[in-house]
Amino acid sequence: MTVPSAPAAPAAALGDVRFAPYWLDATPAPDPCPPLAGPTTADLAVVGAGYTGLWTALLAKEADPSLDVLVVEARTAGWAASGRNGGFCAASLTHGVLNGAERWPDEIGTLERLGRENLDAIEDTLRRHAVDCAWERTGELSVATERWQLDGLARHAATSARHGGPARLLDADETRALVDSPTYVGGLLDRSSVAMVDPARLAWGLRRACLDLGVRVVEGTPVESVARRGSALALGTPHGTVTAPRVVLATNAFRPLLRRLRSYVVPVYDYALVTEPLSPAQLASVGWAGREGVSDAGNQFHYYRLTPDDRVLWGGYDAVYHFGNRVDDSLDRNPATFARLAEHFVATFPQLDGVRFTHAWGGVIDTCSRFCVFVGSAYAGRLAYAAGFTGLGVGASRFAARAVLGRLGVPDGTSDAAQLAQLGMLRRKPLPFPPEPLRWAGIELTRRAMARADRRDGRRGPWLRALDRLGMGFDS
Ligand SMILES: Cc1cc2nc3c(=O)[nH]c(=O)nc-3n(C[C@H](O)[C@H](O)[C@H](O)COP(=O)(O)OP(=O)(O)OC[C@H]3O[C@@H](n4cnc5c(N)ncnc54)[C@H](O)[C@@H]3O)c2cc1C
């Protein structure tokens, strides 16, 4: 969104903010499982207890209850991206149909279908395991805040329609009848392909479902090394070694245990705010009766939604990379970005001027050059990994879990596992990022070029056009 005449930063609106992820603060976390207590073995060891690791463990255990599955988590399940995201659980496996159609034109129909089936299967699993994560299948409204963005929405609608997608174009009045902002000039509504969830309760619910089925979970146990041990692999931790014939790495944007992964994933920080609960009058001034997730259609975009208690979660826009793939808790706090987000919120909803923010936080996203998950294997097929969700992993993580289990030859309880193995999307990796300092310079250049394109009616300059030719450009 271009905000040419945004009001001054509403510092007062951020005056009492807590620097903590709203979701992790709103509900008490479950008691952590004890750390590993000495050496152990497992049939399948999963490193990381975010969605990817938890789905992997759950699917494997559901398919074969006799399998001894161990999840090893450095801190506590769901503390990272999985517990602090926007809670948009999307059907798309490719970060949008346009990105997928560009990269896998022959496969996109299958990928779209698999994505819809994946979202249905998530909903079904949550029902079967009585996971209460405030699941609302309200869909998503993409809004254009500049006329040039309407083209992108129209292309999205046409491509989606070719593959059975239900997205519908709206004019400005129709868009504003759903959610009322004076900045909207049009929209695209997809009622069924996205659900809103409480992300932390989703992670904790998956963890509980795993434990109920007999999956072992150890928390406070960082894996420091992977090595061969006979025909198995040994995971070194400060509390003992885990030996397993099959291992899954589900460590997302954190320092990968496999050196080769370091060139494929860069950690990028994304930030969000949450307001105090809106009063009925404030909510009525915006409309939003359908409670859709909303995102705007610029290169630098915002995503926003209502929480179960009618706060507004407002995030996105800035995406910040730190030299050398730096990841550190201190980077979760970014006052300049928080102020910018607060400004953009009031520019979008002037009728909510004066509403205060209660929470502000950041989190790290595993960005890869094709903007959607890739999988791979190592150690002669004994270890598999999935990474690269690039900010759209809430739904796709279950699909990724199926893909890594397929790599290891572990059943996932579905009938079409063999079909997944044939997908070009899952067989090929993204282009690697260059080493530093080129990496930092390239990312910084891209960020500035995207901001410039947003200011110039979407016109992509030479740098973005070069990236497009390399297949590294992103057109959301
Ligand atoms: C602010 C923000 C907003 C987002 N919004 C959305 C959204 O609305 N919709 C969407 O689809 N996606 C969104 N995402 C992205 C989404 O949250 C992620 O794609 C998804 O949670 C990835 O899950 P994961 O399990 O792969 O990773 P994570 O949740 O990051 O989990 C990885 C786990 O691995 C553990 N780990 C790492 N290294 C080790 C080790 N050596 N030993 C043991 N454990 C280790 C970590 O402690 C962590 O718990 C957002 C992300 C952020 C940060």
Side-chain angles (χ1 to χ4, degrees):
M1 178 177 84
T2 310
V3 193
S5 56
L14 286 163
D16 301 326
V17 84
R18 263 172 68 68
F19 296 106
Y22 167 71
W23 307 108
L24 294 173
D25 205 35
T27 309
D31 289 338
C33 297
L36 186 66
T40 190
T41 60
D43 296 327
L44 173 67
V46 179
V47 185
Y51 302 138
T52 306
L54 293 167
W55 276 118
T56 303
L58 186 62
L59 286 166
K61 193 72 179 172
E62 279 191 326
D64 178 0
S66 70
L67 200 72
D68 180 15
V69 182
L70 174 70
V71 178
V72 187
E73 165 56 44
R75 296 198 192 177
T76 52
W79 79 272
S82 296
R84 62 182 63 210
N85 61 68
F88 286 54
C89 186
S92 177
L93 305 172
T94 58
H95 214 143
V97 68
L98 289 178
N99 186 45
E102 184 79 17
R103 293 171 196 284
W104 301 286
D106 300 336
E107 226 165 58
I108 185 64
T110 306
L111 292 170
E112 286 285 289
R113 176 180 55 75
L114 287 170
R116 288 191 289 270
E117 289 171 4
N118 185 58
L119 188 62
D120 290 343
I122 293 174
E123 189 167 330
D124 176 61
T125 308
L126 301 180
R127 198 176 300 120
R128 277 191 292 110
H129 289 280
V131 172
D132 175 12
C133 60
W135 177 271
E136 297 180 83
R137 194 138 171 191
T138 54
E140 183 169 4
L141 175 66
S142 308
V143 296
T145 58
E146 308 279 342
R147 299 212 68 79
W148 64 266
Q149 295 167 1
L150 293 171
D151 276 357
L153 295 187
R155 275 191 295 126
H156 184 135
T159 311
S160 166
R162 271 202 294 284
H163 304 294
R168 190 164 67 85
L169 282 172
L170 308 177
D171 65 21
D173 288 345
E174 290 170 319
T175 308
R176 291 188 62 173
L178 295 175
V179 181
D180 193 12
S181 165
T183 64
Y184 297 167
V185 297
L188 179 73
L189 178 65
D190 180 339
R191 275 265 173 247
S192 63
S193 306
V194 182
M196 296 294 115
V197 294
D198 176 327
R201 278 158 59 193
L202 172 59
W204 296 333
L206 291 175
R207 170 187 178 275
R208 199 255 306 139
C210 283
L211 291 169
D212 287 352
L213 292 184
V215 170
R216 291 185 291 145
V217 178
V218 291
E219 294 175 271
T221 306
V223 174
E224 295 166 335
S225 61
V226 185
R228 286 177 207 277
R229 176 168 294 177
S231 61
L233 295 177
L235 304 178
T237 87
H239 311 298
T241 301
V242 176
T243 309
R246 281 164 296 191
V247 168
V248 170
L249 297 186
T251 57
N252 197 31
F254 297 92
R255 189 177 168 77
L257 289 156
L258 270 189
R259 179 167 280 278
R260 73 174 72 158
L261 268 175
R262 291 182 199 163
S263 54
Y264 291 112
V265 175
V266 293
V268 170
Y269 276 81
D270 183 37
Y271 295 92
L273 304 175
V274 155
T275 67
E276 60 193 342
L278 300 187
S279 68
Q282 286 166 334
L283 191 54
S285 73
V286 186
W288 222 336
R291 304 180 60 81
E292 306 83 359
V294 185
S295 59
D296 49 44
N299 288 298
Q300 288 186 287
F301 63 93
H302 306 88
Y303 55 87
Y304 40 108
R305 57 164 291 186
L306 292 169
T307 64
D309 61 348
D310 291 339
R311 299 161 186 263
V312 181
L313 180 151
W314 178 264
Y317 198 75
D318 282 346
V320 185
Y321 170 71
H322 295 275
F323 189 90
N325 278 19
R326 191 164 157 234
V327 174
D328 189 288
D329 288 354
S330 65
L331 304 175
D332 293 354
R333 203 160 152 163
N334 184 337
T337 292
F338 296 146
R340 193 157 24 250
L341 282 172
E343 238 177 56
H344 293 182
F345 173 78
V346 180
T348 302
F349 296 125
Q351 64 273 47
L352 296 182
D353 195 5
V355 168
R356 298 170 76 83
F357 294 98
T358 58
H359 292 77
W361 71 96
V364 72
I365 277 173
D366 55 338
T367 298
C368 73
S369 64
R370 69 183 209 191
F371 314 109
C372 58
V373 69
F374 63 91
V375 298
S377 45
Y379 292 101
R382 294 188 189 99
L383 177 148
Y385 53 82
F389 294 102
T390 319
L392 205 72
V394 176
S397 52
R398 179 184 174 279
F399 174 76
R402 293 190 56 205
V404 286
L405 289 173
R407 286 269 175 160
L408 296 175
V410 177
D412 68 6
T414 66
S415 56
D416 63 347
Q419 188 192 3
L420 252 56
Q422 300 307 316
L423 289 171
M425 179 207 175
L426 295 180
R427 287 206 309 225
R428 285 188 284 280
K429 288 210 192 38
L431 285 173
F433 292 98
E436 298 289 16
L438 283 180
R439 176 177 295 203
W440 183 85
I443 293 171
E444 190 58 16
L445 210 56
T446 307
R447 198 179 61 76
R448 289 180 193 198
M450 297 214 303
R452 203 174 310 118
D454 279 340
R455 286 194 304 272
R456 295 182 180 169
D457 291 341
R459 283 195 301 280
R460 294 166 88 75
W463 176 253
L464 290 184
R465 289 204 303 273
L467 289 182
D468 291 342
R469 280 195 294 278
L470 280 172
M472 294 176 83
F474 187 44
D475 181 351
S476 64

